[in-house]
């Protein structure tokens, strides 16, 4: 017997099996509809349970808790929105300018005393409300390093 004959017999037996199952299901539907629909509902319930049951455990997402900043205290810059420890935090001249800068210029990215690494020590000089949220922005002064005394504004959530 060749491989082609075996494949034809397998296809025929699969067709016969499907035909037998279909006729048995239709016969059950005609003779005992409650059992038929109960079986269909049970299969649907098993599929739903399999779809919504958890597989592997997922890591929990850390929720940010807003820190109550105090003017005059020393904190560090740390962005809760960044997973990259090498990312920097930008100081801007006005609190509303945080989303309005264009950093496509090379000089803007490499200028001194503009971008600071996370962990930089800062002192809070004053706080600014915005968007009906208290203390949204913080004016900070850099503590230490070549930019010691440089002041600028950051998002308050970046001061921790």
């Amino acid at each position: 017997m060749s491989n082609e004959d075996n494949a034809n017999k397998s296809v025929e037996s699969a067709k016969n099996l499907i035909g037998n199952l279909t006729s048995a299901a239709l016969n059950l539907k005609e003779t005992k509809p409650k059992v038929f629909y109960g079986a269909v509902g049970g299969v649907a319930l098993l599929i739903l349970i399999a779809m919504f049951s958890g597989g592997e455990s997922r890591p929990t997402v850390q929720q940010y808790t807003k820190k109550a900043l105090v003017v005059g205290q020393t904190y560090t810059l740390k962005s809760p929105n960044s997973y990259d420890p090498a990312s920097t935090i930008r100081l801007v001249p006005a609190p509303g300018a945080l989303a309005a800068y264009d950093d496509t210029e090379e000089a803007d990215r490499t200028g001194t005393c503009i971008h600071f690494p996370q962990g930089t020590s800062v002192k809070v000089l004053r706080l600014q409300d915005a968007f009906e949220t208290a203390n949204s922005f913080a004016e900070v002064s850099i503590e230490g390093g070549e930019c010691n005394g440089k002041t600028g504004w950051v998002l308050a959530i970046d001061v921790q």
Side-chain angles (χ1 to χ4, degrees):
M1 220 180 234
S2 69
N3 287 340
E4 189 175 310
D5 291 338
N6 286 337
N8 287 339
K9 283 186 180 184
S10 296
V11 169
E12 282 183 33
S13 63
K15 285 181 181 178
N16 288 337
L17 179 64
I18 291 172
N20 290 341
L21 288 174
T22 304
S23 64
L26 290 175
N27 187 25
L28 184 63
K29 181 181 174 187
E30 294 297 323
T31 57
K32 298 178 183 175
K34 290 182 180 178
V35 173
F36 174 77
Y37 288 112
V40 169
V43 169
L45 182 65
L46 288 175
I47 290 172
L48 284 173
I49 288 172
M51 283 176 30
F52 291 110
S53 65
E56 59 189 67
S57 64
R58 296 181 183 171
T60 58
V61 177
Q62 270 189 328
Q63 292 288 73
Y64 169 74
T65 55
K66 189 172 181 178
K67 189 169 195 161
L69 300 176
V70 177
V71 174
Q73 291 292 330
T74 302
Y75 300 95
T76 59
L77 293 177
K78 170 87 173 82
S79 177
N81 298 324
S82 175
Y83 289 106
D84 184 11
S87 65
T88 60
I89 297 171
R90 182 183 176 122
L91 258 64
V92 294
L98 290 177
Y101 65 88
D102 179 14
D103 64 351
T104 58
E105 296 294 324
E106 181 68 26
D108 187 44
R109 282 313 248 173
T110 58
T112 58
C113 299
I114 295 174
H115 294 272
F116 293 92
Q118 294 191 50
T120 300
S121 181
V122 295
K123 184 178 190 178
V124 174
L125 302 177
R126 64 181 167 151
L127 300 167
Q128 175 74 40
D129 299 345
F131 315 115
E132 298 180 9
T133 304
N135 303 336
S136 294
F137 301 103
E139 185 179 26
V140 296
S141 172
I142 302 299
E143 300 286 307
E146 67 182 48
C147 296
N148 188 24
K150 165 79 174 169
T151 62
W153 290 87
V154 296
L155 286 170
I157 62 171
D158 291 340
V159 180
Q160 300 190 12

